[in-house]
Amino acid sequence: MGDYRRIADLIADDIATGRLRPGQRLPPQRAFARRRGIAPSTAGRVYSELVRRGLVVGEVGRGTFVRAGPTGPAGQALAEPGPADAPVNLELNYPSAPGQPELLAPVLAPLLRPDVLAEALLPAAATGTPEAREAAAALLTTPGWRPAPDRLLFTGNARQAIAAVLASLVRPGGRVGVEQLTYPLVKEIAARLGITLVPLAGDRAGLLPEAVAAAHRSAPLSALYLQPTLHNPTSLTTSRTRRLQLAQLVHHLDLPFVEDRIWSFLHGSGERHGAGDPLAAHAPALAHVVDGLSKRVAPGLTVGFLVVPPQRVAAVADAVRSGGWSAARFALEAAVRWASEGTVARLVEAKRADAARRQRILAEELAGFAVRSDPRAYFAWWELPSPWRADTFTAAAAAHGIAVTPGPAFAVSPGHTPDAVRLGLASAPEGDLRRALRTLGRVAARRGGGRGGG
């Protein structure tokens, strides 16, 4: 079983060193098997492993292509994302507000005093500190919801928070309902935990309650994972009516859910009659809310937040400890200072304005194409014009030095491979973003039959 992983490691090295370039097609699996002297089934495992690592994209019958570039290594710089392999990376999606380093640095200075630093370098418990719980509760509060500080837990980042919650809720072999298009790393987390993801249908108002109920009748679900506010990749925000319907359903089924709110800070609160408030406001006894600072502040020095039901604090804290997902004490201390001194609030306002500007650029450069987005979001979902497919368009974009994320990366069901790409708008300088979008529009129009598509 380990042989296929070793072969995948060799291909990964070829991609990392540039021997295999972005957009390059890999040989068909049977041809790959013959060249390597391995069984076709082993070749299939190699390709599946490369897809799981996010190094290639494709499917049987269409071909397999090297992806345009990595989504960025761990430990990016505090205030700015690291350099991308492609000249313009619309996969990477970490916003950085103008003047962000100047805002962040003064708050960190007191932590460098030897007496303060000594305390900040001690281990941190999953429950953090009283100051951290109060600061996080205030940061996450909306007009319709305020989490109790004693329900707060902390992880190194939001991805670790998702992993800890799912590990605490779902046994290996358990089923978790998710939107048909979901955060790609949730698929990886589920695979590592031995969890089966069940894709659930939705519409323009959000996840369909009847789809949840039908899946649960088929075989009981252990939990739901969903993104009701600024869903990644579609930017959809679930309507208030649909949130109330879902809350009523999870109460009826006694079904816990994980609510990912990592992008919700862009939405604002109290809008659309509370559509930006969490689903947790309507079903607090079953809600496990995930949030963090990587998008609000920066990915390099971040903290993940968890708000869990009172009776589950101990179980989720155990999962955080056993997974090694605890927040660094230094990051926790920095987060408290950034939140309490208003730095996070100032960054949020700046990033909301920045996202709005970038959405205007998107609307101007891709006018007439079928682009789904929210004017507050840092990403967009582009349903490609025929005859473009996600894999071939991703390869064509890479040939122009532009990295995009192909739609199948978000699809839970292998049979549901949308001919769409996600455009991350946050990381590229605005001038580069405009030029990249203009180039992509020309590419799509040239082979896509013009700007119809709707």
Side-chain angles (χ1 to χ4, degrees), residues 227-247:
Q227 306 167 75
T229 303
L230 294 180
H231 171 267
N232 180 17
T234 65
S235 303
L236 175 71
T237 291
T238 301
S239 71
R240 177 175 172 80
T241 298
R242 184 60 56 80
R243 290 175 193 238
L244 293 173
Q245 293 169 343
L246 289 168

Side-chain angles (χ1 to χ4, degrees), residues 2-20 26 32 36 38 46 49-50 53 55:
D3 290 343
Y4 79 90
R5 289 198 180 96
R6 284 194 290 273
I7 297 171
D9 289 341
L10 295 175
I11 304 301
D13 286 342
D14 287 343
I15 293 171
T17 58
R19 287 190 291 271
L20 286 173
L26 298 186
F32 182 86
R36 296 273 174 171
I38 57 177
V46 171
E49 176 67 10
L50 293 170
R53 297 184 192 183
L55 298 175

Side-chain angles (χ1 to χ4, degrees), residues 78-79 95-105 107 265-266 293-298 338-339 342-355 378:
L78 172 63
S96 179
Q100 180 166 305
E102 290 76 13
L103 278 173
L104 296 175
V107 180
F265 73 95
L266 292 170
L293 290 184
S294 64
K295 311 299 185 184
R296 281 182 174 90
V297 180
W338 282 332
T343 303
V344 177
R346 288 190 287 274
L347 286 173
V348 164
E349 289 304 313
K351 290 180 180 183
R352 286 176 180 172
D354 182 57
Y378 263 123

Side-chain angles (χ1 to χ4, degrees), residues 45-439:
R45 288 182 175 180
V46 171
Y47 278 42
S48 295
E49 176 67 10
L50 293 170
V51 169
R52 187 190 68 78
R53 297 184 192 183
L55 298 175
V56 302
V57 63
E59 52 189 292
V60 176
R62 291 187 173 186
T64 302
F65 298 85
V66 177
R67 285 188 64 176
T71 55
Q76 297 282 5
L78 172 63
E80 302 290 343
D85 284 354
V88 183
N89 193 328
L90 304 186
E91 284 190 301
L92 194 69
N93 209 28
Y94 285 106
S96 179
Q100 180 166 305
E102 290 76 13
L103 278 173
L104 296 175
V107 180
L108 292 179
L111 286 175
L112 302 182
R113 282 177 28 205
D115 57 329
V116 179
L117 185 61
E119 178 120 358
L121 294 180
L122 294 173
T127 51
T129 63
E131 295 80 11
R133 292 192 293 274
E134 290 290 344
L139 189 65
L140 301 180
T141 293
T142 72
W145 180 69
R146 179 179 173 84
D150 61 1
R151 294 171 54 197
L152 261 294
L153 297 171
F154 302 91
T155 59
N157 55 46
R159 294 188 295 273
Q160 293 177 352
I162 294 168
V165 170
L166 290 178
S168 73
L169 283 172
V170 189
R171 294 181 177 180
R175 288 162 38 97
V176 174
V178 296
E179 291 131 331
Q180 288 178 324
L181 299 172
T182 195
Y183 179 37
L185 281 179
V186 169
K187 297 194 292 182
E188 183 172 332
I189 290 167
R192 291 182 180 276
L193 295 177
I195 293 170
T196 299
L197 297 182
V198 180
L200 304 172
D203 60 17
R204 292 299 178 120
L207 187 65
L208 287 165
E210 54 266 35
V212 179
H216 195 64
R217 283 195 302 271
S218 173
L221 299 173
S222 299
L224 295 178
Y225 166 84
L226 67 168
Q227 306 167 75
T229 303
L230 294 180
H231 171 267
N232 180 17
T234 65
S235 303
L236 175 71
T237 291
T238 301
S239 71
R240 177 175 172 80
T241 298
R242 184 60 56 80
R243 290 175 193 238
L244 293 173
Q245 293 169 343
L246 289 168
Q248 185 177 26
L249 178 65
V250 295
H251 273 304
H252 174 70
L253 299 177
D254 193 28
L255 182 62
F257 62 93
V258 181
E259 181 174 4
D260 188 340
R261 286 181 57 81
I262 194 67
W263 288 108
S264 64
F265 73 95
L266 292 170
H267 189 282
S269 303
E271 302 169 17
R272 298 183 188 175
H273 308 290
D277 286 332
L279 180 60
H282 310 295
L286 296 164
H288 300 70
V289 177
V290 170
D291 210 323
L293 290 184
S294 64
K295 311 299 185 184
R296 281 182 174 90
V297 180
L301 188 60
T302 190
V303 174
F305 304 132
L306 274 169
V307 184
V308 302
Q311 71 277 13
R312 301 216 68 250
V313 170
V316 180
D318 285 344
V320 172
R321 284 191 292 271
S322 63
W325 294 316
S326 299
R329 180 67 175 267
F330 188 91
L332 205 58
E333 294 291 339
V336 169
R337 285 165 169 76
W338 282 332
S340 61
E341 296 186 20
T343 303
V344 177
R346 288 190 287 274
L347 286 173
V348 164
E349 289 304 313
K351 290 180 180 183
R352 286 176 180 172
D354 182 57
R357 287 194 304 273
R358 291 165 182 270
Q359 284 288 339
R360 288 193 290 271
I361 293 172
L362 173 76
E364 292 166 6
E365 297 300 333
L366 296 184
F369 286 113
V371 179
R372 296 171 55 188
S373 194
D374 184 298
R376 294 162 288 199
Y378 263 123
F379 45 87
W381 182 246
W382 186 3
E383 296 170 347
L384 299 168
S386 178
W388 281 110
R389 299 193 303 260
D391 49 9
T392 53
F393 187 81
T394 300
H400 286 80
I402 303 167
V404 299
T405 308
F410 299 91
V412 177
S413 171
H416 181 71
T417 53
D419 288 320
V421 294
R422 193 202 71 166
L423 305 173
L425 309 179
S427 296
E430 287 185 29
D432 291 348
L433 175 64
R434 184 179 291 278
R435 286 189 293 273
L437 293 175
R438 185 171 297 168
T439 298

